[in-house]
Amino acid sequence: MAQQYDRDDMLKLGNQLCFPLYAASRLVQRMYHPLLEPHGLTYAQYIVLMVLWEDAPSAVSHIAERTILNTNTITPLLKRLEQQGHITRTRSPQDERVVMIELTDSGRDLHNELGDVPEKLYGSLGSSDEELWALKQQLHRFIEQLQVVVEDE
Amino acid sequence: MAQQYDRDDMLKLGNQLCFPLYAASRLVQRMYHPLLEPHGLTYAQYIVLMVLWEDAPSAVSHIAERTILNTNTITPLLKRLEQQGHITRTRSPQDERVVMIELTDSGRDLHNELGDVPEKLYGSLGSSDEELWALKQQLHRFIEQLQVVVEDE
DNA sequence: GCTTATTATATCGCATACGATATAATCGAG
DNA sequence: CTCGATTATATCGTATGCGATATAATAAGC
């Protein structure tokens, strides 16, 4: 993308890739908020719950890896979910460094209660499924490359 | 995208569009951090400065509109930039509700100092310019749709 | 000219998100 | 078996980011 602009244009907001990523992500989160808030959930908690609905129990580090978040972000977030009664946190007897996260009945119930959230969200957009799918696939490829670079630093 | 999955799959992390957006945005920000930190800048400050390098002086609300951030996010951010000496904040004599943001010499100098940041960043990725450009365009279209929905709430 | 509606920014409170650092547990090499 | 290296989570401090609310200024309608 560098070759397409002169030096001044390189710093224009409209020519950045970082900015539409940033803006789109926050707009999507704003869309989720009214659907999650009645269940007392934040967007980040919802992301973590999606990992657990697929793969519980899980270690904190596994959740961090799946969500591409630092463990020091995950830990306080999980503590709040625990306080809300949706998960439990226990040290693994096999390796006491590891904290295992399990879903409670309440946490599992949320899976049912929130099952229609994505449909409600994407249903209200003008994009076709094909367009959204294509965007998702491109983002996955992009993330793979970003992860390579970020890990090398 | 709703039609392609059954109900269970709808809540799998790998099938979400929101998640790769969220992850990609944060990974990009992590890439920027080592390039901005030596200048004492955060990523959000950098985004705001890009608006100002194009369009200064500007009102707070204009910056908020361009960045798609709330004014209550922008105001504390601008105060820190002011403290660092990169901008000034003054009430407009024409309309005392409005705060005008101007760049200082120091703020303008940063434009030169940070001119090679995007190239350093994207140069290290494996993606072609065409791929990054296509992703950017798709995100712009997506944002337009999101903004329509978010504003209707 | 007055009053209500609207607009612009500021403050409050809470939840991230991450770099840096600390603590404790486990692993592996010698 | 011991010790250094590595790993997992926790804490600290700072900067967002946003919903809700407050304050002040301007606009619009009568």
Side-chain angles (χ1 to χ4, degrees):
Chain A
M1 206 157 86
Q3 295 128 333
Q4 302 179 28
Y5 306 122
D6 66 22
R7 189 179 166 83
D8 267 9
D9 286 346
M10 286 297 290
L11 287 178
K12 282 192 172 3
L13 201 64
N15 295 338
Q16 304 304 310
L17 173 55
C18 63
F19 178 70
L21 272 176
Y22 180 52
S25 182
R26 285 185 294 102
L27 285 165
V28 163
Q29 290 178 48
R30 286 189 202 174
M31 284 183 69
Y32 272 96
H33 180 262
L35 302 174
L36 297 175
E37 201 266 335
H39 302 274
L41 292 177
T42 64
Y43 178 77
Q45 288 173 329
Y46 171 70
I47 296 291
V48 166
L49 282 171
M50 280 197 279
V51 172
L52 291 170
W53 290 329
E54 276 184 65
D55 212 358
S58 284
V60 168
S61 53
H62 175 72
I63 297 171
E65 190 179 337
R66 288 291 313 277
T67 57
I68 313 180
L69 287 162
N70 287 2
T71 56
N72 60 351
T73 296
I74 297 290
T75 294
L77 198 153
L78 289 170
K79 285 184 173 182
R80 281 186 286 274
L81 280 173
E82 183 183 38
Q83 263 191 331
Q84 290 168 279
H86 301 312
I87 64 155
T88 58
R89 301 168 59 247
T90 48
R91 288 283 169 182
S92 168
Q94 285 81 28
D95 185 335
E96 291 180 12
R97 294 173 296 180
V98 170
V99 172
M100 294 304 292
I101 308 299
E102 302 198 47
L103 287 166
T104 60
D105 287 345
S106 169
R108 276 184 284 272
D109 287 346
L110 284 170
H111 186 277
N112 293 330
E113 292 171 31
L114 297 173
D116 57 346
V117 160
E119 197 165 347
K120 271 178 174 171
L121 250 148
Y122 297 108
S124 62
L125 291 178
S127 298
S128 70
D129 283 352
E130 287 72 28
E131 285 171 311
L132 298 176
W133 178 262
L135 180 54
K136 185 175 78 69
Q137 295 305 100
Q138 274 188 255
L139 288 167
H140 280 142
R141 284 192 293 275
F142 187 50
I143 286 167
E144 283 171 18
Q145 291 167 359
L146 291 172
Q147 281 186 299
V148 168
V149 175
V150 167
E151 273 152 24
D152 281 351
E153 281 165 8
Chain B
M1 207 156 88
Q3 295 128 335
Q4 303 179 29
Y5 306 121
D6 65 22
R7 189 178 166 86
D8 268 8
D9 286 347
M10 286 298 289
L11 287 178
K12 284 192 171 3
L13 202 63
N15 295 338
Q16 305 304 311
L17 173 56
C18 64
F19 177 70
L21 272 174
Y22 180 51
S25 182
R26 286 184 295 102
L27 285 166
V28 164
Q29 289 177 49
R30 286 188 202 175
M31 284 182 69
Y32 272 96
H33 180 262
L35 302 174
L36 297 174
E37 200 267 334
H39 302 274
L41 292 177
T42 65
Y43 178 79
Q45 288 174 329
Y46 171 71
I47 296 291
V48 166
L49 282 171
M50 281 195 279
V51 173
L52 290 169
W53 290 328
E54 275 184 66
D55 212 359
S58 282
V60 168
S61 52
H62 175 72
I63 297 170
E65 189 179 340
R66 288 290 313 278
T67 57
I68 313 180
L69 287 162
N70 286 4
T71 55
N72 61 350
T73 296
I74 297 290
T75 292
L77 199 153
L78 290 170
K79 286 185 171 179
R80 278 185 288 274
L81 280 173
E82 183 183 38
Q83 262 192 331
Q84 289 170 279
H86 301 313
I87 65 156
T88 58
R89 299 169 62 244
T90 46
R91 288 284 167 182
S92 168
Q94 285 82 27
D95 185 335
E96 293 179 12
R97 295 174 295 181
V98 170
V99 172
M100 294 303 293
I101 308 301
E102 302 199 46
L103 287 166
T104 61
D105 287 345
S106 168
R108 276 185 284 273
D109 286 346
L110 284 171
H111 187 277
N112 293 329
E113 293 171 30
L114 298 173
D116 57 347
V117 160
E119 196 166 348
K120 271 178 174 173
L121 249 148
Y122 297 107
S124 63
L125 292 178
S127 297
S128 69
D129 283 350
E130 287 74 27
E131 286 171 310
L132 297 176
W133 178 263
L135 180 54
K136 185 173 78 69
Q137 295 305 99
Q138 275 189 257
L139 288 166
H140 280 141
R141 285 193 292 276
F142 188 51
I143 286 167
E144 282 169 18
Q145 290 167 359
L146 291 171
Q147 281 184 299
V148 167
V149 175
V150 166
E151 273 152 26
D152 280 351
E153 281 165 10

